[in-house]
Amino acid sequence: MKHLKKFVVLSLVLLLFIAAGCSSQGSAGGESDGGGEAKKGNIKIGMSFQEMNNPYFISMKEAFEDAAKQIGAETFIADAQHDVTKQINDIDDMIQKDIDILLINPTDSDGVEGAVEAAKKAGVIVVAVDAQAKGPIDSFVGSRNYDAGYLAGKQMVEDLGGQGKVAILDGIPVVPILERVRGFEDAVKEAPGIEIVDKQNGKQDRAEAMKVTENMLQANKDLNAIFSVNDEGALGTLGAIEASGKDVAIYSVDGHPEAIEAITKGGPFKATTAQFPRDQVRIGLGMALAKLWGAEVVPTEVPIDVELQTKENAADFSW
């Protein structure tokens, strides 16, 4: 039962992919049996990432390239580098290249609305992946981020015995980050003995998170644990805690290889709620292709389950 939900979703995408693909290839004149217009000629797919300086997004990029190669699609990939203006310009460039599908991993959920509208006006199928995007998107595929924060928070509460002072290492203002923090805070609210004494933005960056954590540790001498919204930031936190020699536990979200290694070794890093980035991009592309090939019913939102990794089970996990 553990991965039943994910299996069902993947099966659904596979069925849509096969059914829509077969109908588009098997119909005379390039029309799909479902009544929609099938794509003629080479498919062009653009993918705009919020960043590429992170193994999480690198694994997503690899899955995207592999999936696109299987259908012979031409791909265009851009790295927004957490700059919403650059992401808008990157998407505009893709539109000018006459893409059929845009997979967008927004660096700012609200800020990309104009780019989404422009893509839709140009007839592009738009699917948001990992982070929700405002605007007329066709579908959204992302992790159950509230659950990710909640599971990490519950583990923290359990490990601290329901007593202690904790801090939050926040991130950029996109829906997944906001939901992780909300889930974590709700878990902590269930334990009156846990107090959130600090909340600062580590910008999901290792170097920035290390500096922010150093400040947290100095300002809160009796801090017991830190929740980071992502593993990249948590690894910066790990460096700061180890350098300080303090006994402060770390809880996070992602499933980053280095985080998994740190958890299995024991020490400050206690748990991370793992995501499945490869599944997200494969399902996102499946949703878009189903619509492109004439499927009449395509889910508007597909949530992907997450899984808590601790010292007891982390050794078997990988993206």
Side-chain angles (χ1 to χ4, degrees):
M1 295 294 289
K2 190 175 183 181
H3 298 293
L4 181 58
K5 290 181 182 178
K6 190 169 76 165
F7 173 76
V8 170
V9 170
L10 288 169
S11 298
L12 171 62
V13 172
L14 182 60
L15 287 172
L16 284 170
F17 190 99
I18 293 172
C22 289
S23 66
S24 67
Q25 293 170 15
S27 301
E31 292 187 0
S32 73
D33 294 336
E37 284 295 325
K39 168 68 179 177
K40 299 175 183 178
N42 190 39
I43 299 172
K44 295 182 179 181
I45 308 171
M47 176 129 201
S48 174
F49 286 93
Q50 60 178 260
E51 68 159 312
M52 288 300 301
N53 189 29
N54 186 325
Y56 178 84
F57 293 112
I58 291 172
S59 68
M60 191 176 282
K61 172 180 173 286
E62 291 170 349
F64 168 66
E65 290 174 325
D66 288 345
K69 184 178 180 180
Q70 289 177 26
I71 59 170
E74 184 177 359
T75 60
F76 304 94
I77 298 173
D79 175 5
Q81 300 171 9
H82 288 300
D83 182 340
V84 69
T85 300
K86 182 179 185 305
Q87 187 159 49
I88 291 168
N89 291 335
D90 290 341
I91 291 170
D92 183 61
D93 288 343
M94 291 179 185
I95 294 170
Q96 300 307 314
K97 291 172 181 173
D98 198 28
I99 59 171
D100 302 290
I101 292 170
L102 170 65
L103 300 184
I104 179 172
N105 167 236
T107 192
D108 185 312
S109 295
D110 292 333
V112 298
E113 183 177 9
V116 171
E117 290 175 344
K120 290 302 296 179
K121 193 173 293 185
V124 178
I125 294 168
V126 182
V127 175
V129 178
D130 183 66
Q132 182 64 276
K134 193 171 182 180
I137 63 170
D138 292 283
S139 189
F140 166 59
V141 180
S143 296
R144 296 182 185 272
N145 286 288
Y146 175 88
D147 293 355
Y150 185 81
L151 288 171
K154 288 291 285 184
Q155 187 65 47
M156 178 189 286
V157 168
E158 181 181 329
D159 290 348
L160 292 179
Q163 300 288 328
K165 295 184 178 181
V166 305
I168 297 172
L169 189 65
D170 210 343
I172 61 175
V174 290
V175 174
I177 301 304
L178 299 174
E179 285 294 285
R180 291 174 199 176
V181 172
R182 187 169 72 87
F184 173 79
E185 290 176 335
D186 282 354
V188 169
K189 286 176 186 175
E190 296 174 4
I194 300 288
E195 180 185 1
I196 298 175
V197 297
D198 204 349
K199 183 178 181 180
Q200 295 187 41
N201 193 341
K203 299 180 181 178
Q204 295 164 243
D205 176 77
R206 194 177 305 204
E208 182 68 20
M210 179 177 282
K211 290 188 293 184
V212 169
T213 301
E214 288 170 350
N215 293 334
M216 281 183 170
L217 294 173
Q218 290 175 3
N220 304 278
K221 303 297 184 181
D222 53 354
L223 195 64
N224 299 111
I226 295 175
F227 168 69
S228 171
V229 295
N230 79 328
D231 282 349
E232 189 69 23
L235 289 164
T237 292
L238 177 62
I241 289 173
E242 289 179 335
S244 72
K246 292 188 175 183
D247 183 18
V248 180
I250 303 168
Y251 300 80
S252 184
V253 176
D254 271 345
H256 190 297
E258 288 182 55
I260 295 297
E261 182 180 1
I263 290 167
T264 56
K265 284 182 177 179
F269 214 138
K270 303 300 182 183
T272 183
T273 309
Q275 302 188 82
F276 298 88
R278 295 178 185 273
D279 288 349
Q280 288 185 54
V281 77
R282 288 172 185 140
I283 292 171
L285 181 55
M287 296 292 101
L289 287 169
K291 184 152 189 176
L292 182 70
W293 288 337
E296 294 182 4
V297 180
V298 177
T300 56
E301 186 167 332
V302 182
I304 307 299
D305 286 345
V306 292
E307 186 178 271
L308 186 71
Q309 303 296 321
T310 65
K311 189 175 182 180
E312 284 66 39
N313 66 331
D316 295 327
F317 178 82
S318 70
W319 283 333

